[in-house]
Amino acid sequence: MAEISLQFPDGKQKQFDENASAKDVAQSIAISLAKKAVAGKLDGKLVDLNAPLKHDGKIEIVTADSEDGLNVLRQSVALLVKVALKESYPEIQFGEEVGDEDGFYIDTDKQDGQVSADSLPALSDKVQALINQKLAVKHVRVNKADALKKLAGTTYEAKLVEDSDADEFAFYEIDGVSVLASGVSFDNTGAIKFFRLLSVAGAYFEGKSSNPMLQRIYGTAFFKQADLDADLQARQEARERDHRVIGNDLDLFFVDPKVGAGLPYWMPNGATIRRTIERYIIDKELGDGYEHVYTPVLANLDLYKTSGHWQHYRDDMFPPMDMGDGEMLELRPMNCPSHIQVYKHHIRSYRELPLRIAELGMMHRYEKSGALSGLQRVREMTLNDGHTFVALEQVQDEFKKILQLIMDVYKDFNINDYTFRLSYRDPKNTEKYFDDDEMWNRSQSMLKGAMDDLGLDYYEAEGEAAFYGPKLDIQTKTALGNDETMSTIQLDFMLPDQFDLSYVGADGQDHRPVMIHRGIVGTMERFIAYLTEIYKGAFPTWLAPKQVTIIPVSDDKHGEYAESLRKQLLKAGVRADVDHRGEKMNYLIRDAQTHKIPYTLVVGDQEVADQAVSVRKYGEQNSESMSAADFETAVLKDIANYSNN
């Protein structure tokens, strides 16, 4: 009988019968390993534990305590959910099913009404019953033609197979029900441990908005109950901090796919937060020597061909608009070419450098519907953008000045958990990066030298640079502990060459400036999403859309005094309103807390007589009495200090 040669992770090789499975290989190493094995990995591809390996390759044994093992578990549960659905609803159609590090999901379509969240408990019970029966899972692999025959009458799965480049497809049969699988599975339902069906949501087939909307069932699974409990707790925390949920609860923004997915509408509360941040950042930049401009969101396509964006980011740009006379206009994906035009509009002297140009610039990105998410992934965004044009000898000083501005802004927003990443090119990737070794070596050395001079800790990452130059990325921690690039400073020797930029030096000759790109807080959309989740919707007073709400004990008796307080606070620059609804006092106070208003003032007979207020801060149980004048002083101080008392 023919043999195959398998190479183990330590480099050793061993011969096996060609029908040997990953389980046979595991048993040849140790019985204990075979007991822990849930699948194999041949040449980096997951294979069923008992499937014949058939050919030479590099073998790994996947165990339950590995990330791959967890994915196999989740894929197995996803398949079992499909079986349970098929038994309950014989005519149900399936789209994609995925098991990964975040859990699993199955896309479904049911003509007589989609699977609802209310039906998940009964579906879970049916899945658990299949697990308890410890049913054998029959694995069948067929070619494309046979797969399409088995899927005759299906809409979505047949298309997935038809569009696939694979030669072989897996069907798993459980309890007499056969289902198409996109991954590997256990060979017995009893191996499945702890799972939870989480939620349902609409999802376009294959993530394309032109396709039908299916019903996606989300779930997760673990080998240990404690791990499942911890994951469910983390998901609950994520839900409580989800800026999309908070944005809806606090009426900050909404996105309606019917009028444009990925295009947020800012409601008055959200617009107030955004306007406050925009005014803050503009004042901060003006104070640091920046000149603010407005530039068009449309430009001739040739501008982006010259800059290189068309060559490097075409897939992320909207299709050009043909104006019918040979002119092609493009929604801008970046602001830098626009700021270059501002620089070029005049002959520049060395005396003007550093020349700092800034803008809250609107940009557009061609994002697929499936990638869009609240304010974090959108198609239209406004970037806190800036570009400084400097002489070569000014690069490091300007870099340090920009970095200090970023750190000052972080302090005002109470952002403390961040790290510095120097992002370099990958010299092997000549397709992505501008091909000029001397330029890259010089600019990377400049960034590194500036960071060393400042004595700041940083780490280096090859392959993370922009296509035109290296950069410093400032990585912050999100509310859920994930890394996210908040700010960036990028050196650029390329675009000044591409656009033939110059300034007249002290010697009367033309010289080439260096361009520094920088973003202080990134886009308004992503930054506000970040802050919403960090603050859990409880914005500090200076950012809160409503800073003070005033509740009269009796609107008839105390409403006039409440209105006089409101007018005085508004005149002083405090965002305040009066709650005239006349509901029970405890309800109105709870409602103010629910909407996370920093200060709730209650006024009754005593407060009117004393020209005072009873103050309750958000999150506190007790109230404090003080004069109206003292409260105004206190709240103005809170705002002026960016709530960092």
Side-chain angles (χ1 to χ4, degrees):
M1 186 173 286
E3 290 189 332
I4 56 174
S5 179
L6 299 177
Q7 181 179 329
F8 294 96
D10 63 3
K12 293 180 180 178
Q13 291 193 329
K14 189 174 179 181
Q15 305 299 118
F16 289 88
D17 181 274
E18 67 175 348
N19 290 319
S21 65
K23 187 170 185 178
D24 295 328
V25 174
Q27 286 176 332
S28 74
I29 299 170
I31 297 299
S32 59
L33 178 62
K35 288 181 178 179
K36 293 193 297 181
V38 296
K41 218 171 185 180
L42 187 62
D43 292 333
K45 183 179 179 181
L46 284 168
V47 294
D48 290 316
L49 186 62
N50 289 302
L53 297 172
K54 294 185 179 179
H55 62 82
D56 299 345
K58 296 180 179 178
I59 187 70
E60 297 175 58
I61 304 302
V62 176
T63 56
D65 57 359
S66 67
E67 186 175 319
D68 283 327
L70 200 53
N71 289 344
V72 172
L73 168 64
R74 290 166 175 171
Q75 181 69 39
S76 300
V77 180
L79 291 170
L80 205 53
V81 172
K82 289 177 72 172
V83 170
L85 286 167
K86 198 76 172 174
E87 289 184 340
S88 300
Y89 316 107
E91 301 304 316
I92 196 168
Q93 297 257 8
F94 297 114
E96 296 170 297
E97 109 267 341
V98 172
D100 57 23
E101 69 278 358
D102 195 45
F104 63 85
Y105 65 78
I106 309 106
D107 288 342
T108 66
D109 192 21
K110 195 160 70 70
Q111 293 301 316
D112 58 345
Q114 300 290 15
V115 177
S116 68
D118 292 340
S119 63
L120 292 186
L123 180 59
S124 296
D125 290 343
K126 192 165 186 63
V127 172
Q128 188 62 56
L130 293 170
I131 293 171
N132 294 342
Q133 292 176 60
K134 298 183 179 179
L135 299 167
V137 180
K138 183 180 178 182
H139 299 188
V140 179
R141 294 192 171 272
V142 299
N143 60 31
K144 178 177 281 193
D146 288 339
L148 290 172
K149 288 179 184 177
K150 290 174 74 70
L151 294 170
T154 68
T155 302
Y156 312 109
E157 288 180 306
K159 186 177 188 305
L160 291 172
V161 169
E162 187 67 55
D163 293 346
S164 174
D165 294 330
D167 299 320
E168 192 176 61
F169 298 86
F171 288 81
Y172 292 172
E173 186 177 304
I174 304 170
D175 202 25
V177 178
S178 179
V179 291
L180 176 69
S182 61
V184 304
S185 169
F186 296 153
D187 57 8
N188 191 287
T189 63
I192 294 172
K193 300 301 181 184
F194 306 98
F195 77 96
R196 179 70 62 88
L197 298 184
L198 300 168
S199 60
V200 297
Y204 291 113
F205 177 54
E206 296 183 315
K208 298 176 183 176
S209 58
S210 56
N211 284 343
M213 177 77 77
L214 306 184
Q215 186 78 320
R216 179 167 290 178
I217 301 172
Y218 289 95
T220 192
F222 288 88
F223 288 101
K224 296 178 181 178
Q225 182 68 52
D227 292 337
L228 176 60
D229 291 343
D231 181 75
L232 294 176
Q233 180 62 40
R235 289 176 187 273
Q236 179 61 30
E237 177 70 13
R239 277 193 294 273
E240 291 175 1
R241 290 187 180 274
D242 190 331
H243 76 279
R244 295 167 298 182
V245 175
I246 296 171
N248 182 65
D249 291 344
L250 301 185
D251 201 21
L252 304 182
F253 72 94
F254 71 89
V255 179
D256 186 348
K258 293 178 182 177
V259 293
L263 302 172
Y265 283 70
W266 294 86
M267 298 299 285
N269 285 342
T272 298
I273 296 170
R274 174 170 170 168
R275 184 171 59 251
T276 302
I277 294 171
E278 289 177 344
R279 288 174 174 172
Y280 163 86
I281 205 71
I282 289 173
D283 288 345
K284 205 79 171 173
E285 289 173 339
L286 290 174
D288 219 42
Y290 284 87
E291 299 178 88
H292 262 259
V293 298
Y294 295 99
T295 58
V297 298
L298 283 170
N300 192 296
L301 179 61
D302 289 340
L303 184 69
Y304 302 112
K305 289 182 177 179
T306 301
S307 69
H309 289 99
W310 181 247
Q311 295 88 321
H312 289 273
Y313 291 116
R314 184 182 309 185
D315 291 344
D316 295 321
M317 296 169 66
F318 279 92
M321 290 171 270
D322 188 343
M323 304 308 294
D325 56 0
E327 183 183 24
M328 302 291 285
L329 291 181
E330 177 66 32
L331 283 168
R332 69 176 171 196
M334 297 284 188
N335 300 310
C336 30
S338 301
H339 291 182
I340 287 171
Q341 300 311 304
V342 173
Y343 180 90
K344 287 187 69 174
H345 189 62
H346 296 298
I347 296 171
R348 301 296 180 177
S349 164
Y350 72 96
R351 293 186 179 90
E352 297 177 76
L353 306 186
L355 179 63
R356 305 179 182 100
I357 298 171
E359 179 179 12
L360 291 168
M362 184 181 290
M363 311 183 307
H364 294 81
R365 298 285 173 84
Y366 185 84
E367 293 275 12
K368 297 292 180 65
S369 297
L372 300 171
S373 178
L375 296 177
Q376 288 176 324
R377 293 290 294 272
V378 293
R379 287 173 171 157
E380 179 187 274
M381 65 221 72
T382 299
L383 180 64
N384 162 224
D385 211 354
H387 298 89
T388 304
F389 300 87
V390 297
L392 183 63
E393 62 272 15
Q394 296 172 326
V395 167
Q396 291 193 331
D397 284 345
E398 186 65 17
F399 174 88
K400 295 173 186 176
K401 182 179 177 67
I402 294 170
L403 183 54
Q404 186 58 57
L405 174 60
I406 292 172
M407 294 171 73
D408 288 346
V409 169
Y410 281 17
K411 180 182 178 183
D412 289 342
F413 284 95
N414 199 25
I415 299 171
N416 302 307
D417 193 358
Y418 55 87
T419 55
F420 299 110
R421 182 182 76 188
L422 286 181
S423 299
Y424 302 147
R425 69 159 174 169
D426 177 358
K428 301 186 189 72
N429 191 345
T430 55
E431 183 177 339
K432 176 179 178 181
Y433 296 110
F434 185 61
D435 189 16
D436 185 335
D437 289 343
E438 181 183 352
M439 180 277 286
W440 282 102
N441 292 335
R442 177 171 58 174
S443 55
Q444 288 176 179
S445 296
M446 282 183 169
L447 281 188
K448 183 175 171 59
M451 292 298 288
D452 289 339
D453 286 348
L454 291 168
L456 296 171
D457 292 331
Y458 60 87
Y459 65 99
E460 298 166 300
E462 192 174 272
E464 295 291 339
F467 74 89
Y468 47 74
K471 56 180 178 168
L472 172 70
D473 288 321
I474 303 180
Q475 304 294 109
T476 57
K477 288 286 187 185
T478 67
L480 300 178
N482 300 316
D483 276 337
E484 183 176 280
T485 300
M486 176 74 71
S487 311
T488 184
I489 309 173
Q490 306 171 5
L491 286 191
D492 186 355
F493 289 81
M494 188 195 88
L495 289 183
D497 276 341
Q498 297 288 90
F499 284 94
D500 193 26
L501 301 186
S502 64
Y503 67 90
V504 179
D507 58 2
Q509 302 299 309
D510 284 348
H511 297 268
R512 186 79 74 209
V514 179
M515 188 175 177
I516 302 177
H517 308 244
R518 45 104 290 199
I520 303 299
V521 295
T523 68
M524 289 297 105
E525 290 75 12
R526 181 168 283 194
F527 187 53
I528 291 172
Y530 166 83
L531 292 178
T532 302
E533 295 185 355
I534 286 289
Y535 297 141
K536 216 171 180 176
F539 290 93
T541 307
W542 75 283
L543 284 177
K546 188 184 295 181
Q547 295 166 325
V548 177
T549 189
I550 307 166
I551 303 174
V553 174
S554 166
D555 202 41
D556 291 338
K557 295 171 62 178
H558 315 118
E560 185 177 343
Y561 176 59
E563 279 295 334
S564 69
L565 290 173
R566 180 185 70 84
K567 290 177 182 177
Q568 179 58 35
L569 289 171
L570 288 175
K571 185 178 179 181
V574 179
R575 295 187 285 274
D577 75 351
V578 177
D579 194 330
H580 287 295
R581 288 179 293 173
E583 302 283 353
K584 291 182 178 180
M585 183 62 56
N586 286 340
Y587 170 79
L588 295 178
I589 292 173
R590 280 198 309 273
D591 191 57
Q593 294 286 299
T594 299
H595 286 87
K596 305 184 180 185
I597 299 169
Y599 292 97
T600 299
L601 308 185
V602 176
V603 293
D605 290 342
Q606 192 66 50
E607 285 76 25
V608 172
D610 296 342
Q611 293 293 287
V613 291
S614 176
V615 183
R616 180 171 175 173
K617 293 182 180 179
Y618 171 75
E620 295 184 3
Q621 297 297 319
N622 298 323
S623 299
E624 178 185 1
S625 292
M626 63 176 68
S627 71
D630 285 348
F631 172 74
E632 181 181 323
T633 300
V635 73
L636 289 175
K637 181 181 177 182
D638 187 7
I639 294 168
N641 291 338
Y642 304 110
S643 305
N644 290 324
N645 296 328

